[in-house]
Every structure is written in C-alpha cells, then in structure tokens.
Amino acid sequence: MSEYDIIIVGSGAAGLTAAIALADHCRVLVLAKGELTGGSTAWAQGGIAAVLDAGDTFENHIEDTMVAGAGLNRRETVEFVVENAPHAIERLIEMGVPFNKEAEALHLTREGGHSHRRIVHVDDATGWAVQAALLKTAEAHPNITLLPGQACIDLITGRHEERYSGSGRVWGVYALDEKSGKVHAHVGRATILASGGAGRVYQFSTAPRGATGDGIAMAWRAGARVSNMEMMQFHPTCLYNLEVKNFLITEAVRGEGGILKHPVTGHRYMPDYDERAELAPRDIVARANDDQIKRFGLDYVHLDISHKDPDFVAGHFPNIYEKLLTLGIDMTKQPIPVVPAQHYTCGGILIDLDGRTDLPGLYAAGECTESGLHGANRLASNSLLECFVFGEAAAKHIIRCWDRLEPPPAIRPWDASRVTDSDEEVVIKQNWTEIRRFMWNYVGIVRTTKRLERAQHRIQMMTGEVEDYYGHFRVTTDLIELRNLLQCAELIVRSALHRKESRGLHYTLDYPGLLPKAVDTVLVP
Ligand code: FAD
Ligand code: SIN
C-alpha cells in the first residue's frame, strides 16, 4: 500500500493542473495508465477558447457555449469557466506554452459555433505543447510523484476498510502495476478522477486507445451519479484513410476557410443545412456529413482549403500538412477525404463548481465529468479549458477543507486468491470488437428506439459473460478496460433511451422534436 496526501488518476490537462495547484500544500501521487502522455490532451489540435480580443466579451462566449449546448448547460458553470479562461491561459504562458503570436499579440483562430476569433493555439498541435509544459512543471516539483503504467481498477471506499464501513467515503484506488502484474492500493485523504473520456466505446473515434471511460465506470460502481451520457460528440472531419484510422483534421481548417464538398459533384452542401455553413456547431456539421455519406452511398466527403494561399495553409497547419503528405495528399492542392468519428464524451461524473462528486473524498475534473459546461453539445476548444478551470477548482477546495480531511484508515489489500491466469484471452478481444461495432451502428449520430433497444439487449447478454470472466481471471489492462467500456455503453444506451426528444448531440428519428424544457439525464446508481 502506498500513502500520499492526494491521489490523482490521470496525467492529462485536468490531472496535472490539479497536481500543480496542490503541490505547494501537500504530497500528490499522479497515476496514469500506460505512458504519462497517453491521454487525449497530447492529441489536441485546434486550441483553447478564451475571450482575449478587444472586440469580444464574456457574454459572447457564454452565449455561444449555451447555443452549442442546446440550452442544456448550467449557466453558472458556463459563466464560471468562461470568466476563468483568461487566467488559465496566463498560467499556461507562465509555464512556457509557446502560443502562436501575430504582431506581439496572441494569434486567435476560429472554430465552429464561435461568433468571434478566440482560440489560442500552438500551430495545429496545441495539446502536445500544453502536455509538455504541464509535465515539465509537475516533474520539477518535489511534492509530485508521477507514476505511469498503473491501470486503476476500482475506487477504495468504506467497504474496503479493514474495519468494514458502509460509508461511500473514498480513500484512493486499487491499481494494476502493468509491469509486475501486481495490484496495489494507493490511498490518500482525497482522490481526484481526471481519467478522460469513453470515446473508444465506438468503432471509429479520434480518441487515443486508453479512452475507455475507466473513471466514469469506477465512480458509478462506487455510487456516484452520472449525467448526460447520451451526449456523445462526433467530430465532422476525421481523415478517411484505410490505414490511418483516427487522425483528426482540426476544425480550425474550416475556421480558416476550408469548405465541405460532395466528392463527385463538388457541390458545397453545408449552406443547404445551416446558415452558418461550415462554421455551424459540430453536431450539425457531423450530421450533415453523415447524411451526405448515407444519402449518396459515399465513403467520405471532401474538406477543401486548396483555394487558400499554399504558404498560409502549410504555415498554419504544419503537422497536418506533413502528415497528409506522407499519405500522398497535398492539402494545398487537393481536397482531404474526411468522415465523422466519435470525438468527445460530453456526459460523465456529476460534479459541482468545486469539482466535488457525490462521494465524500472524491473529486473529478476534465472529460470524465459532467460539470454543466457543455450541455447537449460541447463548443469547440472549451474542453481543455474545462480541464484547467476544474483541475484548479478541485485543488482549491481540497486546500480550503484540508483540516476536515482525515487521514485514511487501514485498507484491505487486493484479494487475488480466487483468480487464475486466463486461458481464453479471445473472449476479451471478441467483446471489445463487438461493443465498439454495435455502438457505432446502433448508438451513433442518428438513433432510433429500436436500434437502442437492440444495443441494450446485446449489453445485457455480454454483461454476465464479462462479469464471470472478471470474477475468475487475474486482471489485465485489457480486461479492466473491457469491463469499463461495457459499463459506459450501458450508461450511454440507458440515457439515450431515457431522452424522448432530439437535443444537441442526441438525435433520434422517433422523437425528432425538442421538448419545451431542457432536463439533464441523471442516472442514480
Ligand atoms: P486525458 O488527457 O484524456 O487524460 C486521461 C488520463 O487518465 C491519462 O493520463 C490516462 O492514462 C489516465 N487514465 C485513464 N484511465 C485510467 C486508469 N484506469 N488508470 C490510471 N490512469 C488512467 N479539446 C480542446 O479544448 N481543444 C482542442 O483542440 C481539442 N482537440 C482534440 C483533438 C483530439 C484528436 C482529441 C481526441 C480531443 C481533442 N480535444 C480538444 C478534447 C481534449 O483533448 C480532451 O477533452 C482533454 O484533453 C481531456 O483531458 P483530461 O485531462 O480530462 O483527460
Ligand atoms: C479540433 O481541433 O477540431 C478539435 C477541437 C476540439 O475538439 O475542441
């Protein structure tokens, strides 16, 4: 058992922000599955939204966020995040993030749903620069211990105390050391889940391999409520390539003038769907692309920015430009074939403005949460921002309440006495593939009740098999992830069946209209 003051699950933007904000006050352990740079943060392209232009206002950013979120957002959260955005950017600059500049001022790009230019960025690889700066700062702090290669399995609660208690008080996590195969208990006075989204529940996703909703599933199993899990965001423009399956083409390409076209006729179709054309919010553009592909039996649509000055295009999107060249596509001369793909998990663990969950001692921040910021659809580049604001909010609350956070009691070690090594790994692979396929086909961009029920039926059948497997065999990262993917699939489908309207990202042919009142889908364990 290892004991620190605070345990953080996740080394992305949310986890590291919290760790850095806490480290002058207490000893922090940051756990990550695989590598420290394995989360979505390092993959972010477009940038971070903040009101920094003289012609822009907080009210504009708040309004754009609420419009994209189809009114399901909690206004006080939106105000809280938007008003804290300039401070978050300042902190990142202090940590050395080299945001692009133009004539000494920060260069602001534009993305769908934003009425103003307000996205700060580092070329088209913002996430990598942010991840590197946060890691450098965390590594330099003597109070922060970074421990990669730890796949957390479950939260430690009162039920795991040596003197059993039925309390939902959270004391840390059981984690599989991916190298040794041993499971350790990591305990502290408070735990922060910053474990990212559940994108890999879908067959096609821009998210990294580890986005399997582990934190959401762990919190749910421990008794925390989750909210709006049906709100899965699909990005309109993921590269269509038979070898490279999840390479994102940033929305900033459309922000800087890229247009969407039918690949055969060359027709620019977005104005037929929305007056904002390519700069409509993401749900609308993703549905339009999906509609074109299905209606005309296409494999992909075209995203074209070749009408712009080649130096501008290559200079603005150097990483995408280089990557596409290796695949034989010159974006300065020809259109890019693109398809929609799952991109962001808007729902998650319900938190308040201090990052508190329902469970005493458990906080959460970032993509694994539902803070009220995104509502029914996340506005582009608001998610990294949410990580910085809530990572810091959780840390501040912990510091404020420090005297009331008692040290952890004795915890029972992980019991592996009744499990053996698996002789049927094929079960894991089969179930992984099956979940991701039926979620894509039945719980995708356009839904129906019948398709959702088909998915629910499959989930019910698989749950017994996966739980039986989990109960008999030694845990591996793949098994931990499979169990969590299935749990998240169940939460998504249950939430989707619950919503009897089409709002934001949840679009169903059976209930195409909007109900008069926006109501969160809150699931109670
Ligand atoms: P992540 O960065 O995903 O980190 C999750 C961490 O949790 C990782 O360290 C992981 O190892 C760890 N973890 C997970 N499960 C476990 C477990 N069981 N045990 C231990 N550790 C675990 N947003 C923007 O605002 N702007 C953008 O331009 C942008 N571009 C994007 C481009 C792409 C391709 C993608 C996929 C997303 C993009 N997003 C963007 C979304 C944004 O990147 C994410 O929402 C954000 O980075 C999430 O940060 P996080 O800290 O919550 O989680
Ligand atoms: C992108 O660059 O298109 C992604 C931005 C985001 O997901 O916020």
Side-chain angles (χ1 to χ4, degrees):
M1 185 168 98
S2 76
E3 184 173 337
Y4 287 77
D5 292 325
I6 306 296
I7 308 295
I8 298 180
V9 180
S11 56
L16 291 180
T17 300
I20 293 163
L22 282 162
D24 284 344
H25 305 267
C26 51
R27 288 166 50 250
V28 184
L29 174 66
V30 179
L31 300 165
K33 191 166 64 171
E35 313 239 328
L36 292 169
T37 53
S40 294
T41 297
W43 289 27
Q45 291 185 354
I48 306 161
V51 173
L52 297 164
D53 185 53
D56 198 3
T57 63
F58 286 151
E59 198 44 47
N60 290 335
H61 191 179
I62 291 166
E63 220 25 60
D64 292 346
T65 303
M66 302 283 296
V67 168
L72 195 64
N73 329 59
R74 288 193 280 290
R75 195 177 170 96
E76 60 165 351
T77 310
V78 180
E79 287 172 0
F80 176 63
V81 174
V82 164
E83 286 167 15
N84 275 292
H87 163 74
I89 304 298
E90 237 169 70
R91 287 282 298 122
L92 291 169
I93 293 171
E94 280 164 22
M95 282 189 248
V97 179
F99 290 117
N100 287 36
K101 287 192 166 172
E102 200 173 52
E104 287 314 297
L106 288 172
H107 177 262
L108 303 174
T109 191
R110 193 164 177 185
E111 290 182 332
H114 288 276
S115 56
H116 285 74
R117 285 188 169 266
R118 63 167 76 100
I119 319 293
V120 293
H121 63 107
V122 182
D123 295 332
D124 53 356
T126 310
W128 188 253
V130 167
Q131 179 79 65
L134 289 171
L135 262 182
K136 198 167 157 219
T137 310
E139 275 162 355
H141 204 296
N143 270 352
I144 299 179
T145 303
L146 300 164
L147 205 52
Q150 304 290 314
C152 297
I153 306 168
D154 263 320
L155 290 167
I156 295 172
T157 65
R159 286 183 293 143
H160 305 99
E161 291 172 20
E162 262 182 17
R163 292 194 54 182
Y164 177 94
S165 113
S167 90
R169 174 68 161 94
V170 173
W171 297 115
V173 286
Y174 288 114
L176 169 74
D177 182 323
E178 293 176 312
K179 237 191 214 148
S180 71
K182 297 247 165 24
V183 176
H184 300 289
H186 300 283
V187 298
R189 292 174 186 231
T191 304
I192 304 177
L193 286 174
S195 46
R200 283 297 175 129
V201 78
Y202 285 94
Q203 188 178 4
F204 302 106
S205 169
T206 62
R209 166 72 175 70
T212 49
D214 298 356
I216 299 171
M218 283 194 278
W220 171 258
R221 283 194 294 268
R225 287 174 301 164
V226 301
S227 175
N228 296 344
M229 286 298 288
E230 72 277 30
M231 299 305 177
M232 271 289 170
Q233 185 171 75
F234 293 80
H235 198 291
T237 59
C238 178
L239 175 69
Y240 172 81
N241 184 281
L242 295 181
E243 249 110 74
V244 181
K245 294 232 169 60
N246 61 352
F247 186 69
L248 180 76
I249 308 296
T250 176
E251 190 147 328
V253 171
R254 277 177 286 130
E256 295 299 338
I259 52 181
L260 286 161
K261 290 176 172 172
H262 187 291
V264 181
T265 63
H267 174 60
R268 181 187 179 196
Y269 55 81
M270 268 319 295
D272 304 342
Y273 291 89
D274 193 284
E275 60 190 14
R276 291 160 292 184
E278 281 82 5
L279 290 180
R282 219 169 253 183
D283 56 330
I284 294 168
V285 186
R287 265 200 303 277
N289 288 359
D290 184 61
D291 184 49
Q292 290 283 311
I293 287 170
K294 294 215 167 103
R295 188 171 341 166
F296 296 105
L298 307 170
D299 287 330
Y300 52 80
V301 291
H302 271 159
L303 173 62
D304 195 358
I305 194 165
S306 63
H307 49 281
K308 288 271 189 174
D309 172 33
D311 290 339
F312 168 83
V313 174
H316 241 75
F317 306 106
N319 295 290
I320 296 175
Y321 173 70
E322 288 298 331
K323 175 78 182 178
L324 292 180
L325 276 186
T326 68
L327 300 169
I329 302 166
D330 182 345
M331 70 190 282
T332 65
K333 296 200 176 88
Q334 63 192 114
I336 309 163
V338 292
V339 286
Q342 189 287 340
H343 182 62
Y344 185 82
T345 310
C346 290
I349 308 159
L350 204 52
I351 56 165
D352 67 10
L353 289 185
D354 292 316
R356 280 186 298 179
T357 71
D358 291 333
L359 303 178
L362 183 67
Y363 294 75
E367 193 170 338
C368 64
T369 67
E370 199 282 288
S371 66
L373 175 64
H374 308 306
N377 180 24
R378 175 179 67 101
L379 185 65
S381 289
N382 265 355
S383 47
L384 282 172
L385 178 58
E386 183 187 37
C387 294
F388 307 128
V389 173
F390 277 96
E392 189 163 323
K396 279 185 175 160
H397 190 267
I398 289 172
I399 294 165
R400 276 205 307 279
C401 299
W402 185 249
D403 293 342
R404 278 179 276 141
L405 289 171
E406 65 275 46
I411 297 296
R412 289 201 307 277
W414 181 256
D415 180 6
S417 61
R418 281 166 293 179
V419 291
T420 57
D421 285 326
S422 163
D423 56 0
E424 265 200 313
E425 291 280 339
V426 65
V427 172
I428 296 183
K429 194 163 177 219
Q430 166 63 26
N431 281 307
W432 252 88
T433 313
E434 211 174 315
I435 295 173
R436 298 185 64 210
R437 229 183 237 155
F438 72 67
M439 287 299 287
W440 182 258
N441 288 327
Y442 294 159
V443 198
I445 297 174
V446 177
R447 301 165 178 175
T448 67
T449 302
K450 204 161 188 180
R451 283 186 213 155
L452 292 174
E453 283 169 354
R454 282 188 206 285
Q456 193 174 46
H457 181 60
R458 275 164 179 75
I459 291 167
Q460 278 159 2
M461 287 194 311
M462 290 168 83
T463 301
E465 186 170 316
V466 170
E467 280 309 315
D468 183 62
Y469 194 95
Y470 179 77
H472 284 92
F473 296 118
R474 237 180 274 290
V475 285
T476 59
T477 302
D478 282 350
L479 175 56
I480 293 166
E481 291 179 336
L482 170 65
R483 182 174 176 237
N484 294 329
L485 273 184
L486 189 60
Q487 181 61 75
C488 287
E490 196 272 328
L491 295 169
I492 295 164
V493 172
R494 202 186 323 170
S495 304
L497 278 167
H498 187 78
R499 189 171 288 283
K500 303 282 190 271
E501 63 170 347
S502 289
R503 184 182 293 276
L505 297 161
H506 177 70
Y507 185 77
T508 163
L509 297 178
D510 292 304
Y511 302 98
L514 199 63
L515 290 175
K517 196 162 176 235
V519 180
D520 290 319
T521 308
V522 179
L523 300 182
V524 183

